[in-house]
């Protein structure tokens, strides 16, 4: 009689756990990062005595052998890899867009064109003081546009530094959290609900880390993750309960780098995916754009001032510099204050001579002129940005597919849960009836006595 009661009681306990698991699955439908749980059941066997002491003689009920997660390691890896690729492309595209904004918002190209157009107008009547004033004003606008464009690129570089440092701080926080989860996994009973919850947290942390930089992961028998940064050959960032610290470095030339400090060792990291790789690419592009702009500004001011020096102004005096440069090549101001000082005439020409302006206009070379070089830079950046966006669209579709494939195996399907709910309810009710039947039989026996 006691066997009948214990069998029924084991069923009630086991199927109650199974029902709780199904209820938890249903409650977490659509919850980001939640992996479907399954209650694993096994029979309780009775062992014979005497010469049959080691032989199983029958079933003595049911027991819960563990709670398992419907996780797919390979599909989760595919999601992380796809997310890492997408994050790099989107981050790089964002900073290419920032460069485009810096180069176009201040209308530097239009200001250069206006300056040369004003010189063309003045060449038709070199004695016109109003036309000279227009040219001087155009020079002021061009100088201001150079200065503003240079500052915009400098601001973009500073903002990128801030964003990159914030990303490394986030990565360090995720590493610390993962180390704590690893420690919790080691302390949890394998196959328990707590272990399943920690497994979900571990996978979510890994997915978040992969959007910051490409990672390589290994799992031990307990489920603890060891994480390397920058691929399988990169330095260890998290191992067991220990996490390292990532730092962002930048030299005077604007080149960026990353290092990991862990257990007293400092190792360089070269991200090939994730936001950090996108920031590194963006920093390189900003430096290149700044260098190109500096070159255009230097050549422009040098050429204009040199042409001024070889000509004569409206009063027949030798021309003085039109532009003055500050701390950087793009920090340009107009040094000339009197429009009569524009050296329109050649060294031997009179007031109506415009040969020096012709020399100025000749610098508008269709391949090497300031306007064309600026246009080429803007066009090249725009082409790179468009390419990144197209790649990003494709990578976004790949990531969405990877997420869908993962969730199809590890996500909650309400139809399946409804079937399990009905099945375990019936099993629970049957076990309850076994207990009730055992009680009824015991009560009948007691009444006979």
């Amino acid at each position: 009689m006691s066997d009948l009661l214990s069998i029924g009681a084991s069923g009630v306990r086991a199927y109650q756990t199974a029902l709780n698991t199904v209820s938890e699955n249903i409650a977490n439908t659509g919850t980001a990062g939640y992996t479907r749980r399954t209650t694993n059941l096994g029979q309780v066997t009775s062992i014979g005595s005497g010469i049959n002491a080691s032989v199983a003689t029958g079933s003595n009920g049911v027991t819960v052998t563990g709670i398992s997660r419907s996780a797919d390691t390979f599909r989760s890896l595919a999601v992380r890899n796809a997310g890492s690729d997408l994050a790099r492309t989107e981050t790089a595209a964002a900073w290419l867009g920032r460069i485009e904004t810096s180069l176009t918002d201040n209308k530097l190209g239009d200001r250069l064109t206006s300056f040369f157009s004003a010189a063309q107008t003045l060449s038709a009547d070199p004695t016109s003081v109003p036309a000279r004033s227009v040219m001087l004003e155009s020079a002021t606008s061009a100088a201001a546009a150079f200065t503003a464009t240079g500052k915009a690129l400098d601001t973009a570089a500073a903002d990128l530094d801030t964003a990159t440092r914030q990303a490394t701080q986030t990565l360090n926080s995720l590493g610390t959290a993962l180390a704590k989860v690893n420690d919790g996994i080691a302390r949890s009973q394998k196959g328990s609900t707590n272990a399943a919850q920690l497994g979900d947290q571990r996978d979510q942390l890994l997915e978040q880390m992969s959007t910051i930089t490409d990672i390589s992961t290994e799992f031990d028998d307990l489920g603890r993750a060891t994480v390397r940064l920058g691929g399988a050959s990169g330095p260890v960032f998290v191992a067991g309960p220990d996490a390292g610290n990532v730092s962002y470095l930048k030299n005077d030339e604007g080149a960026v780098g990353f290092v990991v400090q862990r257990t007293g060792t400092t190792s360089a990291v070269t991200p090939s995916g994730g936001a950090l790789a996108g920031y590194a690419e963006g920093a390189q592009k900003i430096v290149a754009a700044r260098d190109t702009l500096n070159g255009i500004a230097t050549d422009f001011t040098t050429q204009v001032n040199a042409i001024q020096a070889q000509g004569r102004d409206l009063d027949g005096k030798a021309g003085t510099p039109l532009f003055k440069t500050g701390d950087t090549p793009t920090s340009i101001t107009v040094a000339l204050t009197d429009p009569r000082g524009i050296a329109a005439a050649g060294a031997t020409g009179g007031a109506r001579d415009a040969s020096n302006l012709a020399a100025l206009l000749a610098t508008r070379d269709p391949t090497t002129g300031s306007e064309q070089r600026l246009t080429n830079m803007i066009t090249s950046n725009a082409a790179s940005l468009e390419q990144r966006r197209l790649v990003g669209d494709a990578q976004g579709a790949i990531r969405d597919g990877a997420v869908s494939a993962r969730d199809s195996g590890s996500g909650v399907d309400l139809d399946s849960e409804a079937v399990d709910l009905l099945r375990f309810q019936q099993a629970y009710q049957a076990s309850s009836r076994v207990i009730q039947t055992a009680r009824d039989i015991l009560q009948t026996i007691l009444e006979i006595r």
Side-chain angles (χ1 to χ4, degrees):
M1 188 61 59
S2 61
D3 287 345
L4 189 60
L5 285 170
S6 64
I7 290 173
S10 70
V12 168
R13 288 192 296 270
Y15 294 121
Q16 178 63 54
T17 300
L19 285 170
N20 289 340
T21 301
V22 173
S23 299
E24 187 175 1
N25 288 338
I26 294 174
N28 284 281
T29 302
T31 300
Y34 180 83
T35 302
R36 180 177 181 270
R37 276 82 150 128
T38 302
T39 302
N40 300 321
L41 303 175
Q43 67 174 343
V44 178
T45 57
S46 58
I47 306 299
S49 59
I51 61 174
N52 295 319
S54 62
V55 178
T57 60
S59 176
N60 200 29
V62 62
T63 186
V64 176
T65 60
I67 305 295
S68 62
R69 301 168 63 241
S70 301
D72 189 315
T73 302
F74 296 104
R75 289 182 177 180
S76 296
L77 175 62
V79 170
R80 292 197 295 271
N81 289 341
S84 185
D85 291 340
L86 178 60
R88 172 177 181 165
T89 300
E90 289 183 335
T91 302
W95 291 102
L96 285 172
R98 184 67 178 272
I99 293 172
E100 182 177 66
T101 299
S102 299
L103 295 176
T104 58
D105 272 9
N106 297 293
K107 302 187 182 302
L108 175 58
D110 293 343
R111 301 294 181 261
L112 287 174
T113 299
S114 296
F115 171 74
F116 286 111
S117 296
Q120 181 71 51
T121 300
L122 179 59
S123 67
D125 184 7
T127 62
S128 172
V129 174
R132 287 172 173 268
S133 297
V134 170
M135 182 176 172
L136 193 61
E137 181 63 29
S138 297
T140 302
S141 297
F146 265 118
T147 302
T149 302
K151 287 182 177 180
L153 287 175
D154 291 342
T155 300
D159 290 346
L160 185 144
D161 289 342
T162 300
T164 307
R165 290 191 177 93
Q166 290 176 343
T168 57
Q169 291 172 3
T170 301
L171 182 60
N172 289 331
S173 298
L174 293 173
T176 301
L178 180 61
K180 292 180 179 179
V181 169
N182 279 344
D183 186 52
I185 290 174
R187 297 171 183 272
S188 299
Q189 181 180 355
K190 192 172 183 179
S192 64
T193 300
N194 186 46
Q197 292 173 343
L198 289 170
D200 281 354
Q201 294 177 25
R202 177 202 63 202
D203 290 351
Q204 289 180 62
L205 290 170
L206 291 174
E207 187 172 339
Q208 292 175 53
M209 290 170 65
S210 68
T211 63
I212 299 177
T213 185
D214 53 320
I215 62 174
S216 174
T217 57
E218 295 179 357
F219 302 94
D220 62 15
D221 293 338
L222 296 177
R224 295 179 300 180
T226 297
V227 178
R228 293 179 178 271
L229 302 184
S233 60
V236 174
F237 177 49
V238 178
D242 299 320
N245 185 77
V246 180
S247 300
Y248 168 62
L249 307 174
K250 186 176 182 180
N251 63 18
D252 293 338
E253 288 71 36
V256 303
F258 304 92
V259 296
V260 174
Q261 295 174 316
R262 181 177 171 273
T263 62
T265 302
T266 301
S267 304
V269 181
T270 306
S272 60
L276 294 188
Y279 287 129
E281 183 179 344
Q284 181 183 16
K285 294 292 186 181
I286 290 175
V287 169
R290 194 62 166 96
D291 289 344
T292 301
L293 183 66
N294 286 346
I296 294 172
T298 298
D299 291 345
F300 174 71
T301 55
T302 300
Q303 287 177 347
V304 172
N305 286 342
I307 292 171
Q308 270 283 111
Q310 69 187 18
R312 298 287 174 174
D313 64 14
L314 190 56
D315 298 320
K317 298 177 182 179
T320 59
L322 178 59
F323 295 111
K324 179 172 63 176
T325 302
D327 296 336
T328 65
T330 56
S331 297
I332 304 171
T333 56
V334 174
L336 194 65
T337 58
D338 186 355
R340 296 178 66 86
I342 295 176
T348 60
R352 302 195 64 81
D353 179 41
S355 59
N356 211 40
L357 288 177
L360 174 63
L361 293 170
T363 64
R364 301 180 75 181
D365 187 275
T367 57
T368 61
S370 301
E371 294 168 281
Q372 189 59 47
R373 288 168 63 190
L374 179 64
T375 299
N376 291 344
M377 179 170 65
I378 294 173
T379 301
S380 176
N381 184 80
S384 297
L385 176 57
E386 181 62 22
Q387 181 185 36
R388 291 293 187 282
R389 286 172 174 168
L390 291 174
V391 172
D393 290 341
Q395 290 175 336
I398 292 172
R399 184 186 182 280
D400 291 344
V403 170
S404 179
R406 180 199 61 187
D407 292 349
S408 66
S410 62
V412 177
D413 181 2
L414 289 178
D415 291 338
S416 299
E417 299 304 324
V419 172
D420 285 345
L421 185 63
L422 180 60
R423 179 164 60 92
F424 290 135
Q425 281 178 334
Q426 292 174 341
Y428 180 85
Q429 292 171 353
S431 297
S432 299
R433 290 196 176 189
V434 169
I435 296 175
Q436 184 60 47
T437 299
R439 287 177 177 175
D440 291 343
I441 293 174
L442 180 60
Q443 183 63 35
T444 300
I445 293 174
L446 292 174
E447 289 176 354
I448 291 175
R449 293 180 179 179

